[in-house]
Amino acid sequence: MSELTHLDAKGQAHMVDVSAKSVTARTASASASITMQAATLKMIVEGRHAKGDVLATARIAGIQAAKRTPDLIPLCHPLMLSKVSVEFEPDTALPGIRVLVTCKLAGQTGVEMEALTGASVAALTLYDMCKAVDKTMLIGDIRVLTKQGGKSGDWVFDA
Amino acid sequence: MSELTHLDAKGQAHMVDVSAKSVTARTASASASITMQAATLKMIVEGRHAKGDVLATARIAGIQAAKRTPDLIPLCHPLMLSKVSVEFEPDTALPGIRVLVTCKLAGQTGVEMEALTGASVAALTLYDMCKAVDKTMLIGDIRVLTKQGGKSGDWVFDA
Amino acid sequence: MSELTHLDAKGQAHMVDVSAKSVTARTASASASITMQAATLKMIVEGRHAKGDVLATARIAGIQAAKRTPDLIPLCHPLMLSKVSVEFEPDTALPGIRVLVTCKLAGQTGVEMEALTGASVAALTLYDMCKAVDKTMLIGDIRVLTKQGGKSGDWVFDA
Amino acid sequence: MSELTHLDAKGQAHMVDVSAKSVTARTASASASITMQAATLKMIVEGRHAKGDVLATARIAGIQAAKRTPDLIPLCHPLMLSKVSVEFEPDTALPGIRVLVTCKLAGQTGVEMEALTGASVAALTLYDMCKAVDKTMLIGDIRVLTKQGGKSGDWVFDA
Amino acid sequence: MSELTHLDAKGQAHMVDVSAKSVTARTASASASITMQAATLKMIVEGRHAKGDVLATARIAGIQAAKRTPDLIPLCHPLMLSKVSVEFEPDTALPGIRVLVTCKLAGQTGVEMEALTGASVAALTLYDMCKAVDKTMLIGDIRVLTKQGGKSGDWVFDA
Amino acid sequence: MSELTHLDAKGQAHMVDVSAKSVTARTASASASITMQAATLKMIVEGRHAKGDVLATARIAGIQAAKRTPDLIPLCHPLMLSKVSVEFEPDTALPGIRVLVTCKLAGQTGVEMEALTGASVAALTLYDMCKAVDKTMLIGDIRVLTKQGGKSGDWVFDA
């Protein structure tokens, strides 16, 4: 196992120099889940208008947060995402909603932090919209699912 | 179970009117956890400098994110936090780090979204700093632990 | 007609001192409209999913922009909105969509800039989502419709 | 007429994938106008100091807003503007002020949203600075005037 | 000499709890200076248009930065400034420009950080606008000049 | 001495067109210093925890501010920093702390404003954390130390 790259030789945080890394196409996908009462899930899923606006609001929040990652995560490099998508999958077994975010760019650093941040904020937005009816929700399963591009090549989370 | 307050009668998202709510002292605490390999945890905990900077960086990111909650979560009201603290508890059983965020203000809305957002971003920052050495980390356990103040009174998460 | 209050005695821009103004309930509503081809309007209005997401996206953008007004309009005071709503009314006569934003707070300054900014950004977001199919859209009718509260009392735009 | 590109096959908003588009020089110009009482226009135009600061303030607000477009318009891609200019033309016939914004970059997406956002915010800033003396101002004529570069080539608004 | 209040008992940074402090009127003024070649100063001061725009641009940047202080300085509390002014005084003896920023609010914390941040960013903006013609400018004299209000009462810097 | 490039032919501020400039590797370093009482310096330097968190907090603030430069300095171009480092050097002779920030990117404009902004905000953050124990601190020595890359080539400040 190597060292923590975000600390310099003196153990101080810095934004690492990526200027020598090559620009390649990079994609990453990440997940999050929000567990809620079955009745809460039903409220989100049923009803045409409600569904549109609850999930659409969380989707926009996730896309915006992915773009704002370098402003939120101190040592992330600024980068220009060329694609962000946020998908929701209601899961009655959970019960709750699974969030899947995919980010893409041509750049010098990976985009897994952008995908993770988008998934987290999309889940937090669902929490916010449902908290008046359900006080015991739980957000979890925030992890990178796949990574493509860059020096380390393709990678798939093996649960 | 009542309705989703963030949707109006037509099912459209809006920022609800809180102007008639009384200004009271409100506190909320929220948790998050990040599970990692035992060796990764050891790298963070051991070594004077590293520990200072890894945890201090995540702490600052969490405090900043709590303040930026209304900018991230679309239907949150702007508010003026009077206190934010971010605590980390290394847990070798996990193995990983537990995050505890407490927010406080005198205002018309609760501060649980601020505490949840702070905890999430602190955990994401830890992820970012360790991802070069550990690709299988998982963030979870994001939940509200306690709430005080407001119409609904005190509340403690009962696991 | 009095002077431009945002300029001091030397003609220099400043953020005027409102500390002596009383805190009162204040509401403002503002409009915007976006004129488009009839076929474009039809694409937005028809279809369950599309309608949900096009208008929901613009609604969230408008709410977020209203909150961010002091960051966009240099001499606006920071303030804490207690309510924001964004309504859309498709108008086949235009043809296009009318936007109506209402903002509310208890504070020392009016909220018409917040309502105007929310309406403008909601309309710009509609423009962005339709620009691939319609290059000749036009945004206009951005004006304050009503104001309540504050020293100058209630006011209604008299066209 | 084709489909709304900002919606995926399921009608959900997403930030479209532009990674396969070529990087070309792109320019766009957009307009806005603010109609006011003749006396208000006179106050802005006359007087050395006032003119400098009213128009300079609005110019800076417009430039800043153009840069912040991806943060305001949810599905806009982040991009790096290489030029922004904001021009004002007092028009006694209106009476009021015409705003012209030009943006430029080498990139994978057009910059008309940046020009439109800059023009809108510059006009809103003029509104803010004059609203104490003129309650019936109106912002309109927000449209793209010209576009150059990209797959669709040069384009000029034909009124 | 007491302790560093921004560190808790374990030496960890936190945003201190101000909820028990009383809301009082608070004012602070701060200075900065930028030293430049005499010829650079002459370019700024002479010429009607240039002067307007160089100083007006820096003034707006300073006002905006003062409002954004809690977003820039990690442990600053969010607050709602009720007044910000930025003054420039060309000084041929320096040679250069002196910056004076005054901030005011009714709140639970002092506003000296807002005044200092506004003065710093106004000076940095002057630097940016002149750096093509003068590579050896120096920014200094950033200090609090006066403070009024709050528990510690009035205070004047005694050089 | 040439003209102020940030003003156009009419003396109006604009964001200059850099699209014709070549993309080259660019580095800049800048300094700041904060002068304080010897006892204040001792409080920062001594003690394991305190040192970690005071300096780590200021380091993160400086890195974040460098990334946010185009949002703070109106006429700065957006750019994507590939490296930022913030170093602190306690100086008992001052007495106080010297700040050194280095920024790097491959781009069309220099990065000295990013280095200067990072150094200024790091120093302001130190000020904020110590102001409760020391009211007479002074920030100064904000200057560019070295520049590399770009048309004008390498440059070193010659005091």
Side-chain angles (χ1 to χ4, degrees):
Chain A
M1 185 175 272
S2 57
E3 296 171 32
L4 295 180
T5 51
H6 288 60
L7 300 179
D8 64 15
K10 283 177 276 186
Q12 296 168 345
H14 64 147
M15 203 173 91
V16 297
D17 189 352
V18 298
S19 57
K21 297 175 83 168
S22 55
V23 172
T24 65
R26 293 158 188 271
T27 307
S29 62
S31 69
S33 71
I34 176 165
T35 306
M36 51 185 61
Q37 298 173 32
T40 310
L41 178 58
K42 208 173 161 191
M43 291 181 76
I44 297 177
V45 174
E46 290 187 354
R48 193 171 65 91
H49 284 300
K51 181 185 176 182
D53 267 26
V54 172
L55 297 184
T57 300
R59 187 178 293 119
I60 295 306
I63 292 172
Q64 291 278 66
K67 288 194 272 184
R68 220 170 287 163
T69 300
D71 207 40
L72 287 171
I73 311 296
L75 304 180
C76 275
H77 291 81
L79 46 75
M80 294 196 302
L81 292 172
S82 58
K83 175 200 159 141
V84 184
S85 70
V86 178
E87 302 281 331
F88 297 106
E89 187 188 340
D91 179 343
T92 52
L94 203 57
I97 294 179
R98 297 188 182 283
V99 185
L100 172 67
V101 175
T102 305
C103 292
K104 193 169 171 183
L105 93 162
Q108 294 170 305
T109 62
V111 288
E112 66 264 48
M113 289 315 302
E114 281 70 19
L116 288 164
T117 302
S120 302
V121 172
L124 287 166
T125 301
L126 291 176
Y127 192 110
D128 180 47
M129 297 186 83
C130 299
K131 70 182 192 294
V133 298
D134 191 344
K135 283 185 162 31
T136 56
M137 290 177 289
L138 169 71
I139 295 173
D141 285 328
I142 299 174
R143 71 178 84 211
V144 177
L145 298 178
T146 61
K147 271 192 68 172
Q148 292 173 292
K151 199 181 61 181
S152 50
D154 295 0
W155 179 88
V156 177
F157 184 84
D158 183 14
Chain B
M1 185 176 273
S2 56
E3 296 170 31
L4 295 180
T5 52
H6 288 59
L7 300 179
D8 64 16
K10 283 178 276 186
Q12 296 169 345
H14 64 147
M15 205 173 91
V16 298
D17 189 351
V18 298
S19 56
K21 298 175 82 168
S22 56
V23 173
T24 63
R26 293 159 188 271
T27 307
S29 62
S31 68
S33 71
I34 177 167
T35 307
M36 51 184 60
Q37 297 173 32
T40 310
L41 178 60
K42 207 172 162 191
M43 289 182 78
I44 297 177
V45 175
E46 289 187 355
R48 192 169 64 92
H49 284 299
K51 181 185 176 183
D53 266 26
V54 172
L55 297 184
T57 299
R59 186 179 293 119
I60 294 307
I63 291 172
Q64 292 280 64
K67 288 194 272 183
R68 221 171 286 165
T69 299
D71 207 41
L72 287 171
I73 311 296
L75 304 180
C76 276
H77 290 82
L79 47 73
M80 294 197 301
L81 293 172
S82 58
K83 174 199 159 143
V84 184
S85 70
V86 178
E87 301 282 332
F88 297 106
E89 187 189 340
D91 179 343
T92 51
L94 203 56
I97 294 179
R98 297 187 183 282
V99 184
L100 173 67
V101 175
T102 304
C103 293
K104 193 171 172 182
L105 94 163
Q108 294 170 305
T109 63
V111 289
E112 66 265 50
M113 290 315 302
E114 281 69 19
L116 288 164
T117 302
S120 301
V121 171
L124 288 166
T125 301
L126 291 176
Y127 192 109
D128 180 47
M129 297 186 83
C130 299
K131 70 181 192 293
V133 298
D134 190 346
K135 282 185 164 28
T136 57
M137 291 177 289
L138 169 71
I139 295 174
D141 285 328
I142 299 176
R143 71 179 85 210
V144 177
L145 299 179
T146 62
K147 271 192 68 173
Q148 293 172 292
K151 200 180 59 179
S152 51
D154 294 1
W155 180 87
V156 177
F157 184 85
D158 183 15
Chain C
M1 184 176 274
S2 57
E3 296 170 31
L4 295 180
T5 51
H6 288 59
L7 299 179
D8 64 16
K10 283 178 277 185
Q12 296 169 345
H14 64 146
M15 204 172 91
V16 298
D17 189 351
V18 297
S19 57
K21 298 175 84 169
S22 55
V23 173
T24 65
R26 292 159 189 270
T27 306
S29 62
S31 69
S33 71
I34 177 166
T35 306
M36 51 184 60
Q37 298 173 31
T40 310
L41 179 59
K42 208 174 160 188
M43 291 182 77
I44 297 178
V45 174
E46 289 186 356
R48 195 170 63 92
H49 283 300
K51 181 185 175 182
D53 267 26
V54 172
L55 297 184
T57 299
R59 187 178 293 118
I60 294 308
I63 292 173
Q64 291 280 64
K67 288 194 271 183
R68 221 171 285 164
T69 300
D71 207 40
L72 287 171
I73 311 295
L75 304 180
C76 276
H77 291 82
L79 45 74
M80 293 196 302
L81 292 173
S82 57
K83 174 201 159 141
V84 183
S85 70
V86 178
E87 301 282 331
F88 298 106
E89 187 189 340
D91 180 342
T92 52
L94 203 56
I97 294 178
R98 296 188 183 282
V99 185
L100 173 67
V101 175
T102 304
C103 293
K104 194 170 172 182
L105 92 163
Q108 294 170 304
T109 63
V111 289
E112 66 264 49
M113 290 315 301
E114 281 69 20
L116 288 164
T117 302
S120 302
V121 171
L124 287 166
T125 301
L126 292 176
Y127 192 109
D128 180 47
M129 297 186 83
C130 299
K131 70 181 193 293
V133 298
D134 190 346
K135 282 184 163 33
T136 57
M137 291 176 289
L138 169 71
I139 295 173
D141 285 328
I142 299 175
R143 71 179 84 212
V144 177
L145 298 179
T146 62
K147 272 192 68 172
Q148 291 172 294
K151 199 180 61 180
S152 51
D154 294 1
W155 180 89
V156 177
F157 184 84
D158 183 14
Chain D
M1 184 176 273
S2 56
E3 297 170 31
L4 295 180
T5 51
H6 288 58
L7 299 178
D8 64 16
K10 283 177 277 184
Q12 296 169 345
H14 64 149
M15 204 173 92
V16 299
D17 189 351
V18 298
S19 57
K21 298 175 83 168
S22 56
V23 173
T24 64
R26 292 158 188 271
T27 307
S29 62
S31 67
S33 72
I34 178 166
T35 307
M36 51 184 60
Q37 297 174 32
T40 310
L41 178 59
K42 207 172 160 190
M43 290 182 77
I44 297 177
V45 175
E46 289 187 356
R48 194 172 64 91
H49 284 300
K51 181 185 175 183
D53 267 26
V54 172
L55 297 184
T57 300
R59 186 178 293 118
I60 295 307
I63 292 172
Q64 292 279 64
K67 288 194 272 183
R68 220 172 287 164
T69 300
D71 207 40
L72 287 171
I73 311 295
L75 304 180
C76 276
H77 291 81
L79 47 74
M80 295 197 301
L81 292 172
S82 58
K83 174 199 159 142
V84 184
S85 70
V86 178
E87 301 282 331
F88 298 106
E89 186 188 341
D91 179 343
T92 52
L94 203 57
I97 293 179
R98 297 188 183 282
V99 185
L100 173 67
V101 175
T102 304
C103 293
K104 194 170 172 182
L105 92 163
Q108 292 170 305
T109 62
V111 289
E112 66 264 48
M113 290 315 302
E114 281 69 20
L116 288 164
T117 302
S120 302
V121 172
L124 288 166
T125 301
L126 291 176
Y127 193 109
D128 180 47
M129 297 186 82
C130 298
K131 71 181 191 293
V133 299
D134 190 345
K135 283 186 163 30
T136 57
M137 290 177 289
L138 169 71
I139 295 173
D141 285 328
I142 300 175
R143 71 179 85 212
V144 176
L145 298 179
T146 62
K147 272 193 67 173
Q148 292 172 293
K151 199 180 59 179
S152 51
D154 295 1
W155 180 89
V156 177
F157 184 85
D158 183 15
Chain E
M1 184 176 273
S2 56
E3 294 170 32
L4 295 179
T5 51
H6 288 59
L7 300 179
D8 64 16
K10 283 177 276 186
Q12 296 169 345
H14 65 147
M15 202 172 92
V16 298
D17 189 352
V18 297
S19 57
K21 297 175 83 168
S22 55
V23 173
T24 63
R26 293 159 189 271
T27 307
S29 62
S31 68
S33 71
I34 177 166
T35 306
M36 50 185 61
Q37 298 173 31
T40 310
L41 178 59
K42 207 172 161 191
M43 290 181 77
I44 297 177
V45 174
E46 289 187 356
R48 192 170 65 90
H49 285 298
K51 181 186 175 182
D53 267 26
V54 171
L55 297 184
T57 300
R59 186 179 293 119
I60 295 306
I63 291 172
Q64 293 279 66
K67 288 194 272 183
R68 221 171 285 166
T69 300
D71 207 41
L72 287 171
I73 311 295
L75 304 180
C76 275
H77 291 81
L79 47 73
M80 293 197 303
L81 292 173
S82 58
K83 175 199 158 142
V84 184
S85 70
V86 178
E87 302 282 331
F88 298 106
E89 188 188 340
D91 180 342
T92 52
L94 203 57
I97 294 178
R98 296 187 183 282
V99 185
L100 172 67
V101 175
T102 305
C103 293
K104 193 169 171 182
L105 93 163
Q108 293 170 305
T109 62
V111 289
E112 66 264 51
M113 289 315 302
E114 281 70 19
L116 288 163
T117 302
S120 302
V121 171
L124 287 166
T125 301
L126 292 176
Y127 192 109
D128 179 48
M129 297 186 83
C130 299
K131 70 181 192 295
V133 298
D134 190 345
K135 284 185 162 32
T136 56
M137 291 177 289
L138 169 72
I139 295 173
D141 285 328
I142 299 175
R143 71 177 85 210
V144 177
L145 298 179
T146 61
K147 272 191 68 172
Q148 292 172 294
K151 199 180 61 180
S152 52
D154 295 0
W155 180 89
V156 177
F157 184 85
D158 184 14
Chain F
M1 186 177 272
S2 56
E3 296 170 32
L4 295 179
T5 52
H6 288 58
L7 300 178
D8 65 16
K10 283 178 278 186
Q12 296 169 345
H14 64 147
M15 204 174 91
V16 298
D17 189 352
V18 297
S19 56
K21 298 176 82 168
S22 55
V23 173
T24 63
R26 293 159 188 272
T27 307
S29 62
S31 68
S33 71
I34 177 166
T35 307
M36 51 185 60
Q37 298 173 32
T40 309
L41 178 59
K42 207 173 161 190
M43 290 181 77
I44 297 176
V45 174
E46 289 187 356
R48 192 170 65 92
H49 284 299
K51 181 186 176 182
D53 266 26
V54 171
L55 297 184
T57 299
R59 186 178 293 119
I60 294 306
I63 291 172
Q64 292 279 65
K67 288 194 272 184
R68 219 172 287 164
T69 300
D71 207 40
L72 287 172
I73 310 296
L75 304 180
C76 275
H77 290 81
L79 47 73
M80 295 197 301
L81 292 172
S82 57
K83 175 200 158 141
V84 184
S85 70
V86 178
E87 302 282 331
F88 297 106
E89 186 189 341
D91 179 343
T92 51
L94 203 55
I97 294 179
R98 297 188 183 282
V99 185
L100 172 68
V101 175
T102 305
C103 293
K104 193 170 172 181
L105 93 163
Q108 293 171 304
T109 62
V111 289
E112 66 264 49
M113 289 315 302
E114 282 68 20
L116 287 164
T117 302
S120 301
V121 171
L124 287 166
T125 301
L126 292 176
Y127 192 109
D128 180 47
M129 298 186 82
C130 298
K131 70 182 192 294
V133 299
D134 190 345
K135 282 185 164 27
T136 57
M137 291 176 289
L138 170 71
I139 295 173
D141 286 327
I142 299 175
R143 72 178 84 209
V144 178
L145 298 179
T146 62
K147 271 192 67 172
Q148 292 172 293
K151 199 180 61 179
S152 52
D154 295 0
W155 180 88
V156 177
F157 184 84
D158 183 15

